[in-house]
Amino acid sequence: MAERLTDEERGTALDQLAGWRLVEGRDAIARRFVFSGFVEAFGFMAQAALVAERMNHHPEWSNVYRTVEVTLSTHDAGGLTALDVALAAEMDRIAARMT
Amino acid sequence: MAERLTDEERGTALDQLAGWRLVEGRDAIARRFVFSGFVEAFGFMAQAALVAERMNHHPEWSNVYRTVEVTLSTHDAGGLTALDVALAAEMDRIAARMT
């Protein structure tokens, strides 16, 4: 099972994940992605859903038209783990390919 | 442009849409769909996204693992219209086929 990040690991991870922020009151990270329209936003979600399923690690996320708001945390571990950092990096790569 | 429902139309629509509720403080309707897992939940979203795009009317929605929470309102009209009722009915049909 994935273990929660140490403070040092957390700092390093956030330095590498530009655009992600710590969520207030929770051990989680979040990022808002904005695309050119709904097709692009849902296209991002479809790609990220396949990656998440492959990783067996799933996001909490919402979509309003061209915006996708993602929150990542590892429920089983009660906070941020390397799985969240890995999924965040994959989502960044998917979004970067789309712009 | 779609016009906001009258009180009578709103009542009739909600009677037909079992499982949907009025959102407090907003002229919108919402429903929580629960599926057997992430694949099923995202499968529902993928089907509903195609219908929404075809209708050019898009939901506000969030997904956490096997749960999809949907809110419908028509931004341009400032509230509920026939478009929301139609999209809600389509989502119900998609979900019904999956269970």
Side-chain angles (χ1 to χ4, degrees):
Chain A
M1 193 173 101
E3 292 193 5
R4 283 178 68 175
L5 300 181
T6 64
D7 285 349
E8 191 183 339
E9 289 167 334
R10 190 173 317 247
T12 306
L14 279 170
D15 285 348
Q16 291 168 347
L17 295 171
W20 293 81
R21 64 186 188 278
L22 281 169
V23 177
E24 214 168 319
R26 266 186 82 181
D27 190 21
I29 53 175
R31 181 173 177 185
R32 175 183 296 256
F33 295 89
V34 181
F35 299 93
S36 52
F38 177 75
V39 167
E40 291 75 11
F42 199 80
F44 164 80
M45 293 181 78
Q47 293 180 66
L50 297 179
V51 169
E53 183 62 19
R54 189 177 65 205
M55 292 174 68
N56 192 27
H57 185 60
H58 303 90
E60 303 169 25
W61 49 0
S62 61
N63 159 241
V64 180
Y65 199 57
R66 67 193 191 100
T67 298
V68 180
E69 180 80 36
V70 181
T71 300
L72 301 178
S73 187
T74 304
H75 186 260
D76 291 349
L80 275 178
T81 69
L83 280 171
D84 302 304
V85 177
L87 183 53
E90 289 281 358
M91 285 182 158
D92 284 351
R93 274 191 283 273
I94 294 166
R97 282 200 305 263
M98 297 182 67
T99 52
Chain B
M1 193 172 101
E3 291 193 5
R4 282 178 68 175
L5 299 182
T6 64
D7 286 348
E8 193 184 337
E9 289 167 335
R10 189 174 317 246
T12 306
L14 278 170
D15 286 346
Q16 292 169 345
L17 296 171
W20 293 81
R21 64 185 188 278
L22 280 170
V23 177
E24 215 167 317
R26 266 186 83 181
D27 191 21
I29 53 175
R31 180 173 178 185
R32 174 184 298 257
F33 295 89
V34 181
F35 300 93
S36 52
F38 177 76
V39 167
E40 291 76 10
F42 199 80
F44 164 80
M45 293 181 78
Q47 292 180 66
L50 297 179
V51 169
E53 182 62 19
R54 188 178 64 205
M55 294 174 66
N56 193 26
H57 185 58
H58 302 89
E60 303 170 24
W61 50 0
S62 61
N63 160 240
V64 179
Y65 197 57
R66 67 193 191 101
T67 298
V68 180
E69 179 81 36
V70 180
T71 300
L72 301 178
S73 187
T74 304
H75 187 261
D76 291 348
L80 276 179
T81 69
L83 279 171
D84 302 303
V85 177
L87 182 54
E90 288 281 359
M91 286 181 158
D92 285 350
R93 275 192 282 273
I94 294 167
R97 282 201 306 264
M98 298 183 65
T99 51

